[in-house]
Amino acid sequence: MKNRIQAKPTDYFDGVKIKTLKIFILIFIVAFTALGSQSKDLGSVLLFPSNNAKNVNPDTPLKITFAERPIIGQSGFIRIYDAENNRLVDSLDMSIPPGPKNTRTPAPYDKMVYASDPWDAANGYNRANRPKVLPPLEDQYQHKYIGGNLESDVYHFYPVLIYNNEAIITLHRTLEYGKEYYVQIDPGVLSFSDSTLFSIDKEDQWTFTTKKTSLDINSGKFIVSADGTCDFNTVQGALDFIQENNESHKTIFVRNGRYHEMVYFRNKNKITVVGEDREQVIIAYPNNGFFNPRPTGDRIEMIKRFRNRRSIFAVDNANDIHLINLTILSIGVAPAQNEGLLIKGERNIVNNVTIDASGDALQASGNIYMENTSIKGFGDNVLGYGAVFFKNCDFISTYGPHLWARNTSENHGNVLVNCKLYTEGDVEATYARAPVKEHYSFPYTEAVLINCAVEGLKPEGWGLTDSLCPNARCWEYNTVNLSDGKPADVSQRVHYSRQLTMENDEELIKDYSSPSYILNGWEPKFVPIIIVQPSSVISKPGESTIFKVRLTAIPDANYQWYFNNEPIRGEKSEVLTIANISKKNEGLYHVVIQNEAGSVNSEVVSLKMD
């Protein structure tokens, strides 16, 4: 490969370092090659955090943006040092494979072959050939702790991911407050299509200083921003900051951005994670059950307790959690066992969230309420052992059944009200897998659909029957076609399913339409959260203007706009329109938003005449 290019914060073409100066002809060849590299216009390198940056969050990832897509190598180290004493703080060895290769491994790792990888070298990554006993995680692959320091918290991970022209480097640990650091990158870690190598080997080429002090743990709100301008750079960093079994409610507001991370927390309560915009707050990672399998061998108790390893976002044994207004994305194309969201606990709410994953896209256990949420995956889209009430949700299958409820007779299962169920691609699906199959037995499984619209559904509706289904509740009421809204053809439904009618089952339909009936008496609700505040306006006479808020609330909220602290008659929506503006409209405006859970005031903004 060509001689390495030493990076500086503005241009990594600046300077050529020749390692061996033994003979003149070698000097000439290397120098000529380097000049050729310098003439190649790859543009400027953008470092994040930038060189000499101050007040950097300790949970920051490292990012390098190039003019063209870089190539990940299989040699060299990424090192970060404490600038005060040159102590090595963290080191990423690129010769270590990230984890077991599988059908969902992202490029370029899918083509890499590591001699040290027992799965890849001996068995390939065919599911049928997977070893029955896994090697200890720490012995073979890249690993880091996420969400704690137990054996179960050890995850395989990718030290470098490429997104467009950006190399995203994930460290093993969070850095410290009040420290200056510098980064060095060996040649071989990153290169380009013309074989040019990239490196950083001087202490002053990439250095930054973290914030002096930590945040106040008693604060009720923290802000995550991928650009590092707020309290945290990562969602995991914000969640790690909140103590286990916390007693006061905390809100984590996530600004628009793409967050390449696996998220896991447990034993934490009363937390709201709310995104700025559902489509623009994206938590994404290429995780799955082959890359991060469950523990094996004699660790049976840990296997039973921890099922979170293959998910992108996992909420474990946590209560009163609200996930709102964001997207959880599993990176990868081919199917794999991979929850986008795993959530286990009591009184948890998922609202206005997109979950795009693979097999078992959602695993939900406990008492969970989900509203205005999209769940897309490859078969058994929803897996769970608890009661889940879905309202106005979309279920999109790319292969198999939408549900596999595993509830017992002690609790309800999956109830869908006013939902849409359809397929993507040339496939048909069923509502749910049979309650008894092979070594799984859930004879009291419950999957009930009320006022739902369907498309791409097999005529039988439900999974294959068997003799152990008499106690299963596979019910539906008023199912219509998604395409035209007409009643669906239910004439070929399996014999153990049941069509509810208002004539015979009015009370039952009423009960199953009520979240509190399904969720053990809990009525889901939370105080309105304002996502976008109104803005002040300067206007000319005769013009029109609007004040607007955007919020989320369960149940729906009521609005009342105020002008100079006096209520404006009839202005009870999220938008206040003022037409034909004159001097009398100048003043201060705000809106009070209220539902059963409480009320919140918007920021006070002004209208002035130009």
Side-chain angles (χ1 to χ4, degrees):
M1 302 182 82
K2 297 181 182 180
N3 189 50
R4 63 186 178 180
I5 304 299
Q6 298 182 17
K8 292 184 179 180
T10 56
D11 195 340
Y12 60 83
F13 294 107
D14 187 34
V16 176
K17 183 176 181 180
I18 302 174
K19 296 176 66 176
T20 306
L21 301 174
K22 291 185 178 180
I23 58 175
F24 174 79
I25 190 168
L26 181 59
I27 297 173
F28 176 80
I29 292 173
V30 174
F32 180 81
T33 302
L35 286 172
S37 298
Q38 286 178 313
S39 66
K40 184 176 178 63
D41 183 15
L42 296 179
S44 298
V45 171
L46 297 177
L47 301 177
F48 179 85
S50 61
N51 191 37
N52 297 317
K54 308 296 182 183
N55 296 317
V56 174
N57 291 319
D59 67 323
T60 184
L62 307 179
K63 301 177 184 179
I64 313 173
T65 304
F66 301 94
E68 69 172 87
R69 188 178 180 89
I71 300 169
I72 298 174
Q74 292 179 249
S75 64
F77 286 80
I78 301 169
R79 299 181 178 90
I80 184 166
Y81 295 87
D82 186 330
E84 182 180 5
N85 52 22
N86 295 317
R87 176 178 61 90
L88 180 64
V89 173
D90 201 357
S91 176
L92 298 167
D93 183 353
M94 297 301 292
S95 69
I96 300 174
K101 193 185 294 184
N102 60 87
T103 58
R104 214 167 170 84
T105 299
Y109 292 102
D110 58 335
K111 305 297 182 185
M112 294 181 179
V113 177
Y114 295 87
S116 61
D117 185 350
W119 285 26
D120 191 32
N123 302 294
Y125 54 85
N126 187 304
R127 182 181 177 90
N129 296 330
R130 62 189 298 178
K132 296 185 182 302
V133 178
L134 307 180
L137 300 176
E138 61 273 16
D139 290 350
Q140 303 292 341
Y141 302 109
Q142 302 276 2
H143 68 279
K144 64 175 296 184
Y145 287 85
I146 300 177
N149 55 10
L150 303 178
E151 183 184 5
S152 58
D153 302 324
V154 179
Y155 285 75
H156 300 146
F157 78 107
Y158 295 95
V160 182
L161 284 172
I162 304 299
Y163 180 66
N164 296 329
N165 293 348
E166 185 177 63
I168 303 164
I169 301 168
T170 300
L171 300 175
H172 286 103
R173 57 188 58 85
T174 298
L175 301 175
E176 297 180 50
Y177 284 94
K179 289 281 189 178
E180 183 181 359
Y181 297 95
Y182 65 88
V183 181
Q184 294 186 338
I185 300 177
D186 289 344
V189 172
L190 295 168
S191 62
F192 300 92
S193 57
D194 66 350
S195 298
T196 299
L197 298 177
F198 171 81
S199 70
I200 298 176
D201 61 3
K202 294 182 179 179
E203 297 178 12
D204 62 349
Q205 290 178 314
W206 194 0
T207 181
F208 58 86
T209 303
T210 55
K211 292 177 177 177
K212 291 183 178 180
T213 58
S214 178
L215 300 167
D216 180 4
I217 189 62
N218 295 315
S219 173
K221 182 178 179 180
F222 307 105
I223 302 176
V224 177
S225 179
D227 64 7
T229 57
C230 298
D231 300 324
F232 297 93
N233 288 61
T234 64
V235 178
Q236 186 66 47
L239 289 165
D240 284 344
F241 188 71
I242 299 173
Q243 298 172 329
E244 288 193 2
N245 301 312
N246 53 295
E247 296 182 357
S248 61
H249 200 99
K250 310 293 184 186
T251 297
I252 297 172
F253 185 81
V254 186
R255 294 203 182 278
N256 291 343
R258 190 176 177 98
Y259 300 85
H260 292 88
E261 56 178 312
M262 290 178 282
V263 176
Y264 171 65
F265 68 96
R266 64 173 175 269
N267 303 333
K268 299 185 181 185
N269 309 312
K270 301 179 181 178
I271 300 174
T272 295
V273 180
V274 56
E276 181 177 1
D277 185 280
R278 174 174 175 172
E279 306 303 324
Q280 297 187 60
V281 173
I282 302 174
I283 301 170
Y285 206 80
N287 193 23
N288 58 78
F290 205 94
F291 184 66
N292 270 307
R294 294 180 190 174
T296 59
D298 60 355
R299 296 174 283 181
I300 298 300
E301 285 305 312
M302 193 167 72
I303 297 170
K304 291 179 179 178
R305 289 177 57 209
F306 296 98
R307 300 174 179 271
N308 54 280
R309 303 185 49 76
R310 65 193 188 188
S311 60
I312 307 302
F313 197 119
V315 181
D316 186 12
N317 191 36
N319 307 317
D320 301 298
I321 305 298
H322 304 157
L323 303 181
I324 300 169
N325 217 43
L326 51 85
T327 291
I328 301 170
L329 175 65
S330 171
I331 300 174
V333 178
Q337 292 294 106
N338 170 218
E339 286 90 357
L341 173 64
L342 181 149
I343 183 165
K344 179 182 178 182
E346 299 298 316
R347 302 177 303 280
N348 293 327
I349 294 175
V350 180
N351 181 40
N352 204 41
V353 171
T354 297
I355 303 168
D356 189 343
S358 188
D360 305 336
L362 166 68
Q363 186 175 149
S365 298
N367 280 310
I368 318 293
Y369 178 82
M370 305 192 74
E371 183 174 327
N372 297 325
T373 290
S374 171
I375 305 157
K376 177 182 175 181
F378 185 87
D380 295 340
N381 277 2
V382 177
L383 169 68
Y385 301 83
V388 189
F389 190 97
F390 298 91
K391 180 181 178 181
N392 298 331
C393 293
D394 288 356
F395 296 77
I396 308 106
S397 172
T398 59
Y399 176 72
H402 292 286
L403 311 169
W404 193 2
R406 295 183 178 183
N407 61 284
T408 69
S409 60
E410 299 299 316
N411 60 274
H412 287 285
N414 295 163
V415 176
L416 286 60
V417 176
N418 298 332
C419 293
K420 299 176 183 177
L421 299 92
Y422 54 97
T423 58
E424 190 173 275
D426 188 20
V427 296
E428 287 186 317
T430 57
Y431 286 137
R433 189 188 286 208
V436 180
K437 181 178 174 65
E438 298 171 353
H439 55 287
Y440 296 103
S441 180
F442 297 93
Y444 292 92
T445 192
E446 181 176 78
V448 178
L449 291 84
I450 296 176
N451 296 328
C452 291
V454 301
E455 187 174 86
L457 188 73
K458 292 182 179 181
E460 63 269 25
W462 309 85
L464 297 176
T465 186
D466 108 12
S467 60
L468 299 178
C469 294
N471 296 309
R473 293 183 176 181
C474 299
W475 301 345
E476 58 186 313
Y477 166 72
N478 191 35
T479 303
V480 300
N481 298 322
L482 184 60
S483 58
D484 57 18
K486 295 181 180 180
D489 181 1
V490 297
S491 62
Q492 299 182 54
R493 294 290 194 261
V494 293
H495 70 85
Y496 60 82
S497 68
R498 176 181 168 188
Q499 295 296 315
L500 304 179
T501 66
M502 192 58 69
E503 181 181 3
N504 299 322
D505 306 295
E506 181 178 2
E507 197 64 28
L508 199 60
I509 294 168
K510 180 181 178 182
D511 286 341
Y512 273 80
S513 299
S514 169
S516 62
Y517 179 81
I518 303 303
L519 303 176
N520 198 29
W522 168 54
E523 189 68 50
K525 56 187 174 182
F526 60 81
V527 177
I529 299 172
I530 299 176
I531 297 172
V532 177
Q533 295 279 355
S535 299
S536 293
V537 174
I538 299 177
S539 182
K540 296 181 181 298
E543 291 184 342
S544 297
T545 193
I546 63 170
F547 293 107
K548 184 178 181 179
V549 292
R550 184 158 58 86
L551 61 89
T552 181
I554 293 178
D556 292 341
N558 299 314
Y559 302 79
Q560 176 60 65
W561 284 92
Y562 286 76
F563 173 53
N564 291 334
N565 289 322
E566 293 294 329
I568 306 174
R569 185 176 180 180
E571 296 298 343
K572 296 180 180 294
S573 70
E574 64 179 10
V575 178
L576 169 63
T577 302
I578 304 174
N580 194 23
I581 295 172
S582 64
K583 195 72 175 177
K584 68 179 182 180
N585 301 119
E586 279 193 319
L588 302 177
Y589 293 81
H590 76 281
V591 61
V592 176
I593 305 158
Q594 185 173 11
N595 67 2
E596 295 176 14
S599 65
V600 62
N601 291 6
S602 75
E603 295 177 357
V604 178
V605 294
S606 65
L607 171 61
K608 297 181 179 179
M609 302 293 293
D610 188 359

